[in-house]
Amino acid sequence: MIKIDMRNSWILLLLVLGLVSCQNESQEIAKPNIIIIISDDHTQQAISAYGSKLTQTPNIDRIANEGVLFNKAYVNNSICGPSRAALLTGKYSHKNGYRDNENSSYDSSQDQFVNHLQKVGYQTAWIGKYHLGEDPQGFDYWEILPGQGHYYNPDFIQMDGSRVRKEGYVSNLIEDAAESWLDSRDQDLPFLLILGHKATHRTWMPDLDDLDMFDEVEFPLPDNFYDNYQNREAARVQDMSIAHSMQMAYDLKMYPEDTKDGNVTRMTADQRERFDGYYKPIQKALNEAELEGDALTEWKFQRYMRDYLATAASMDRNIGRLLDYLDNHALSENTIVIYLSDQGFYLGEHGWFDKRFMYEESFRTPMMMRYPGVIAPGTVSEDFVMNLDIGPSMLQAAGLEIPKDMDGISFLPVLTDPEAEGRDAVYYHYYENGEHAVSPHFGVWTDRYKLLRFYKRVEEWELYDLGNDPQELNNLLGNEEYAEVHREMYSKLMKVIEKYGDEEAKTIAEHPLNGDLNLRKK
């Protein structure tokens, strides 16, 4: 038995209270730091962690290898602004108000997951592409690109509203700014840093050091490159094909001598000399070849792939710089790192570039997370997760309640508890009705089937069996063998529409079209 001298008990009490205080303080500091890296238009097909044979992305792969690779990560609305709004708010577009990049404006004063982190002492920052206006709120520090920003010598909007032009390449400059902020933060407080990369957004302009990175590579055409869009009117009327929509100057840098394109006129003389020294010989050879038809289309595809993947290479290199910074500053073990894109992208599938459709290449997003001590290295998740789920997941990681009005759910349970149940379906709604002639549409995707409803530009339903048709080439609408599947998927769609309160979709979905197959009858 241990005996205590009561005359000195007050000393013991003070020691105990001091220990408890230190423990509480330690627990506060131990809240995980959070870094979310968002790219634009990057895609699973271009990431080696997903098995891509097109390129190597060692630093993005490192996040997956040291944590979890999400094989079934999806977005609410496959376009950059609405996707980022959903990430911040945990809500679908019809609730957060940012439906498209044409007519919407983002209310940054609304409730966002970052505000909840701020309230419990997190230092918060957004650096790089924001694309939700010019007044980020919920951040102690921000430095953002105006709109899409530029690849070379970009302007950065400062917190006082001024604009500073920085000489250099955008991916390098964003990483420089991130490390500068990390150096200047309060070392005793947890932090949230959101890093918004411009890469790999159109017009795919590589770092000058990477221009010729893929010149010796001949990329294989996707199997469905020459898709004929049979029985898929929305796919037929789009304006995002490599053959017809990709522009020789704007997209592929075959500029006339007197170009006024702001992407190149902002370059220094030395930068322009290196840039022209690479592209002008390519242009000369193209003119001499006099290509046309499929030969020209396939030349455009090769040129597109080389620029796109070289643009991604610089971003991957800078992600490596950030991971090294964490290692060198003893931050790796208590920092969550998430990488994702605003959405996926087409690398020639269906003959396309761009995104927007609920078809797999643009609907899904690359996503991975490193969370030392919680997520085992080498984890692969086959559970449905969404960009909407990131905010709730980070709130749970910080020990905070998840607001009940968020549509997203934390994905941490399905990563840590074998008995936990995640989503059984994913709901999607795309609104924009102009750019690339992609018709607005919504739909639901389960573990095998996908049902879509297009409206406005095109009025039609589409049904796919991805178990038998992973490339989504065969619209099964009207196929009597799938009549029961169609009815079940329609029922699932109406349930998720009701769950998320999407009244516009509900009204449209209830409107009958040819081929509805008596959906309301059992």
Side-chain angles (χ1 to χ4, degrees), residues 122-315:
Y122 272 79
Q123 300 165 95
T124 58
W126 187 303
I127 294 171
K129 180 179 174 181
Y130 177 62
H131 209 230
L132 291 171
E134 298 182 358
D135 65 335
Q137 297 187 42
F139 298 96
D140 302 307
Y141 179 82
W142 54 265
E143 184 177 1
I144 60 174
L145 300 172
Q148 297 286 1
H150 289 89
Y151 279 108
Y152 302 110
N153 307 334
D155 296 333
F156 285 83
I157 304 173
Q158 308 299 302
M159 293 184 71
D160 62 4
S162 64
R163 299 191 180 205
V164 175
R165 181 164 298 186
K166 298 185 180 183
E167 184 175 326
Y169 186 70
V170 67
S171 298
N172 303 328
L173 295 171
I174 288 171
E175 176 59 22
D176 291 345
E179 293 185 21
S180 177
W181 180 78
L182 287 168
D183 286 340
S184 66
R185 69 185 175 85
D186 186 336
Q187 307 289 318
D188 293 326
L189 295 175
F191 65 85
L192 162 75
L193 169 62
I194 300 180
L195 210 58
H197 275 289
K198 174 176 173 59
T200 49
H201 195 278
R202 191 183 188 188
T203 56
W204 320 297
M205 303 185 86
D207 188 327
L208 294 172
D209 291 336
D210 299 325
L211 287 172
D212 62 353
M213 178 176 285
F214 294 95
D215 278 4
E216 302 304 315
V217 180
E218 189 74 13
F219 295 100
L221 293 177
D223 293 341
N224 58 0
F225 186 77
Y226 288 110
D227 189 350
N228 62 12
Y229 315 122
Q230 183 177 358
N231 199 26
R232 289 168 290 137
E233 181 67 8
R236 187 188 68 79
V237 303
Q238 49 64 41
D239 182 24
M240 50 193 274
S241 72
I242 291 172
H244 305 294
S245 312
M246 187 170 279
Q247 301 174 34
M248 295 299 293
Y250 180 69
D251 290 316
L252 302 176
K253 295 81 178 175
M254 303 294 104
Y255 292 112
E257 290 295 333
D258 60 348
T259 182
K260 299 297 190 295
D261 191 305
N263 288 302
V264 292
T265 58
R266 68 192 302 110
M267 294 180 183
T268 66
D270 288 344
Q271 290 170 338
R272 185 67 185 273
E273 183 178 6
R274 290 183 66 187
F275 186 86
D276 286 346
Y278 176 73
Y279 284 104
K280 289 302 181 184
I282 295 172
Q283 187 172 7
K284 182 175 183 294
L286 173 66
N287 291 338
E288 293 173 350
E290 298 182 341
L291 301 177
E292 58 184 24
D294 290 350
L296 179 59
T297 298
E298 292 177 20
W299 180 93
K300 292 167 72 174
F301 169 74
Q302 296 296 331
R303 187 71 262 152
Y304 163 46
M305 293 297 292
R306 288 168 184 149
D307 284 348
Y308 177 94
L309 294 173
T311 301
S314 177
M315 178 178 65

